[in-house]
Amino acid sequence: MDNIKKDVVAAWGRVHLYLEKKLPGHAIHAWFEPIVPTGFRNNSFVLEVPNQFFLEWIESHYRDDIIMAIEKTYSEKIEYKFLVTKEKKEKADSGISKTSFVETKPKRFNNLNLKYTFENFIVGSNNEFAKTASESVSNHPGEQNFNPLIIYGGVGLGKTHLMHAIGNLALKNNRDLNIVNITSEQFTLDFVNSLRKNKTIEFAQNYRSADILLIDDIQFFRGKEQTQEQFFHTFNVLHQSGKQIVLTADKFPGEMKGLQSRLLSRFQSGLSVDVQPPNFEVRVAILLEKADQNGLSLDYSTIEFIARHIKNNVRELEGTIIRLLAKSSLLNVEINNRLVTEVVKERVGGRIGNEVSIENIVKKVSEISHVKEDDIVGKSRKMEIAEARQVSMYLCRNIMGTSLSNIGMFFGGRDHTTVMHALKTINVKKSSDARMNKMITSIRKELGFSFL
Ligand code: ADP
Ligand code: MG
């Protein structure tokens, strides 16, 4: 045991070696190589992992394997404990301890999700103003005209993220602040329970003692008259005493239906900022960040492919990354192009294939090869024409997975063996002939399939 303490890296290395023999290479690569053994305390290996998702994933999928590997490597009863490596930024800031113990559930303070920070919020023209206003509110709560601050916009665009980031930064600035952070649903439930238990005074006191009140998704108050009434009074008490209020909503307050007009007019006395869907560059940046957070390295072309197809919702972008990790691990396969296409297809409801058609492919091939479309689908055996036809067939199969007989039918009623021969020919040429390789790459790129 003392030996383990002395050289924990070597000691864990022996366990790792055992795991390598038992688990598939991609699992070792994705889940075990990123682990950094940092100590041995209370008879446990202390193992650092990059993030909470990683921690939960490895615990739920590989716990038995790890226990078994330790048992087989050491005769004593030895345990292990994962720690999430703190954000790089925090490390630099504190300079003292690099890690902190985390429970299996995300660590929360006042219900604030510590994962939601300004540092990991990617800014683009779609959300820049919302982020700046939010940061300003965390640095000067209640001091400006931004009270209430209302962050509004569609689903999955970062409203909750910003609201928690406000709470997290405000607390970092001042540990003593009483931050009450709640969803409208919880607020309503709390209120109803206080009515039931005759504790409305405690309810009111609880909320009115807040220095910063954060309420998520206030559209949930729609049509709930008595809750709105309570909220109105809470709002007034806090507002009058200069406490900061931050709300999120699905719509601009002026367009909200089912909320009392006196509430809406209060909302309009503050600042409303919107979050919009991210543009292409912002989507790429978000994907890079999320892949990094999840310890996943993806080719740029893969990232670009995902960003081209998943457009409206940041949660979906994140979901795609997590789904990729999950699938590759569950199915024991590497993250390859096929898997990426499959996952993206699932998420956009199979629309990928619909965006390109055989006609489209032929049109592009015609543009690039200068062979007429009619000739490509015709009978001529002239060399350039036959080649353009073969390239088109190849791309139909490769991008859309069209069946050999359908391809044959479209290209002048040819037999499936002719199509097979075309695919083979192009495959060979692609690796031996730089011109062919370049042509195929550029057609794919134009069709939005650069990475396949
Ligand atoms: P909303 O509350 O608007 O429905 P969330 O704040 O829950 O959306 O965001 C959904 C997910 O997308 C969260 O995991 C959040 O961290 C992430 N997200 C949203 N916008 C951004 C952004 N600009 N940068 C990084 N992550 C983001
Ligand atoms: Mg939300």
Side-chain angles (χ1 to χ4, degrees), residues 276-315:
Q276 294 286 338
N279 64 20
F280 175 73
E281 286 75 12
V282 177
R283 295 201 295 279
V284 167
I286 289 172
L287 284 166
L288 287 169
E289 163 76 21
K290 300 289 172 188
D292 191 44
Q293 274 176 19
N294 289 298
L296 180 65
S297 81
L298 293 175
D299 295 346
Y300 179 75
S301 54
T302 304
I303 296 258
E304 189 174 314
F305 178 78
I306 301 173
R308 285 218 184 281
H309 288 92
I310 297 185
K311 297 178 180 161
N312 294 325
N313 184 324
V314 180
R315 189 176 288 136

Side-chain angles (χ1 to χ4, degrees), residues 142-158:
E143 287 173 26
Q144 296 155 317
N145 292 333
F146 305 168
N147 203 10
L149 174 71
I150 301 184
I151 307 168
Y152 71 93
V155 177
L157 296 179

Side-chain angles (χ1 to χ4, degrees), residues 160-300:
T160 301
H161 187 132
L162 280 177
M163 202 180 79
H164 284 242
I166 291 175
N168 286 324
L169 177 58
L171 262 187
K172 200 168 161 193
N173 290 340
N174 179 358
R175 279 277 143 203
D176 299 329
L177 287 181
N178 179 18
I179 298 190
V180 175
N181 162 52
I182 197 158
T183 64
S184 306
E185 205 167 351
Q186 285 166 322
F187 183 92
T188 308
L189 269 178
D190 230 19
F191 173 58
V192 173
N193 277 332
S194 77
L195 282 179
R196 244 180 0 123
K197 294 181 186 154
N198 250 339
K199 288 197 167 161
T200 45
I201 297 176
E202 284 91 333
F203 169 86
Q205 276 168 351
N206 191 16
Y207 285 93
R208 290 171 200 179
S209 65
D211 294 308
I212 302 184
L213 175 66
L214 308 170
I215 302 199
D216 210 0
D217 291 324
I218 52 166
Q219 67 274 9
F220 188 81
F221 287 155
R222 229 170 254 155
K224 301 189 173 72
E225 293 297 324
Q226 223 184 333
T227 307
Q228 286 184 36
E229 178 84 24
Q230 259 309 314
F231 176 62
F232 181 71
H233 293 305
T234 305
F235 184 100
N236 285 341
V237 170
L238 291 175
H239 198 257
Q240 274 154 21
S241 48
K243 307 297 185 179
Q244 180 69 47
I245 299 159
V246 180
L247 309 169
T248 73
D250 63 347
K251 284 198 181 61
F252 178 64
E255 292 168 9
M256 272 188 220
K257 299 214 170 71
L259 288 193
Q260 297 170 359
S261 53
R262 57 180 184 166
L263 261 183
L264 294 182
S265 81
R266 285 285 191 283
F267 293 169
Q268 279 164 9
S269 69
L271 176 70
S272 299
V273 290
D274 66 335
V275 283
Q276 294 286 338
N279 64 20
F280 175 73
E281 286 75 12
V282 177
R283 295 201 295 279
V284 167
I286 289 172
L287 284 166
L288 287 169
E289 163 76 21
K290 300 289 172 188
D292 191 44
Q293 274 176 19
N294 289 298
L296 180 65
S297 81
L298 293 175
D299 295 346
Y300 179 75

Side-chain angles (χ1 to χ4, degrees), residues 23-24 26-27 62 326-334:
L23 296 172
H26 76 88
Y62 296 107
K327 271 210 149 172
S328 83
S329 180
L330 290 174
L331 302 174
N332 271 353
V333 292
E334 306 285 338

